[in-house]
Amino acid sequence: MRTRNTSLLLTALVVILFVLGVSAPPLLAHAAVERTENNPTASNKVKIVVQFSGTDRLIREVEFSDSTITGLQALLNTGLDVVTKDMGWGIAVCSIEGVGCPASNCFCDLPNFWNYEYWDGSQWQAHGLGASATNRSDGDVDGWRWGQWGGTPILPYPQLERAWNALQWLKAQQNSDGGYGSPSSSASSSVESSLAVGANHYKAADWRKDANSASLLGYLMGNGAPYTQGTASAAGKFAVGASATRLCMPPLAK
């Protein structure tokens, strides 16, 4: 049974890493627009796909209680770091997770900018209005793509959704102590899981099965040292996982 569970875990890991990429997230800036808190009784959901490059993308699900939510508010409620600027004609998205431009020069890298799109059921289409003026309803899928107009398209949503489902399965397998697998294999499985978690731009401190369980950060901090003292490959894998999930905080700016 343990072998089967480990195989399933690794299968999910491979799917997530293959579809969503393994790039470690960059350092973050601060959001310039206030987010609203998700309503715990909300019944409506939209999916947000963010494509940073051809090998780095993620999905977030946003819940809301009203009949609609603006595309901008949905993006802000993903918990991602988003920098915006009021341009007078509307609110522009300058940066997501540190990719893009500062609010002081929101379009500093033209012709690259954050394209705002939606999945129509068969392909990605450009929105006719900006995100602050576009209402999204339950079941809608929005896409944000960094690049040129007409550049590298976002992957078809069904392919991304399979990776999202695999990630949700992975989260459900997490132990209450924040780790993965049996006691004899938990350190290894937890480090490997951190690679998938980091590839999806989640922090180890935020990754937990439920509100009453320990985080992946807590487990790795308490149990990772013996794993790193094994082989060079194990130490290297731990370092990559730690970087991807922001296990180690960056130095303060001088």
Side-chain angles (χ1 to χ4, degrees), residues 58-181:
L58 57 79
I59 296 179
R60 293 291 188 269
E61 183 177 74
V62 173
E63 298 182 354
F64 57 102
S65 56
D66 294 333
S67 59
T68 62
I69 186 173
T70 69
L72 178 62
Q73 203 61 62
L75 175 63
L76 294 174
N77 282 356
T78 59
L80 300 172
D81 193 84
V82 180
V83 174
T84 65
K85 183 177 177 61
D86 190 338
M87 306 297 292
W89 43 261
I91 298 177
V93 172
C94 309
S95 172
I96 304 176
E97 291 285 274
V99 176
C101 298
S104 60
N105 189 9
C106 194
F107 296 99
C108 68
D109 193 28
L110 290 175
N112 296 310
F113 66 99
W114 278 106
N115 295 262
Y116 180 43
E117 305 172 354
Y118 69 96
W119 181 253
D120 70 358
S122 60
Q123 62 183 341
W124 292 100
Q125 302 275 10
H127 275 290
L129 298 173
S132 60
T134 301
N135 288 325
R136 313 303 289 140
S137 303
D138 184 42
D140 285 342
V141 179
D142 266 357
W144 291 88
R145 176 179 59 82
W146 175 254
Q148 301 180 22
W149 175 264
T152 303
I154 303 175
L155 286 179
Y157 180 69
Q159 184 176 350
L160 295 168
E161 188 174 42
R162 287 193 290 272
W164 165 262
N165 292 335
L167 187 66
Q168 303 317 300
W169 179 89
L170 181 66
K171 191 169 189 177
Q173 309 310 306
Q174 190 176 18
N175 301 328
S176 60
D177 65 358
Y180 282 88

Side-chain angles (χ1 to χ4, degrees), residues 27 203 205 217 242 245-252:
L27 300 183
K203 300 177 184 177
L217 170 66
T245 58
R246 300 169 208 159
L247 177 60
C248 302
M249 296 301 293
L252 295 175

Side-chain angles (χ1 to χ4, degrees), residues 7 10 26 98 123 164 191 227:
S7 176
L10 293 177
Q123 62 183 341
W164 165 262
V191 170
Y227 182 79

Side-chain angles (χ1 to χ4, degrees), residues 8-23:
L8 288 173
L9 177 64
L10 293 177
T11 298
L13 174 64
V14 169
V15 170
I16 296 165
L17 293 178
F18 176 77
V19 176
L20 298 185
V22 296
S23 301

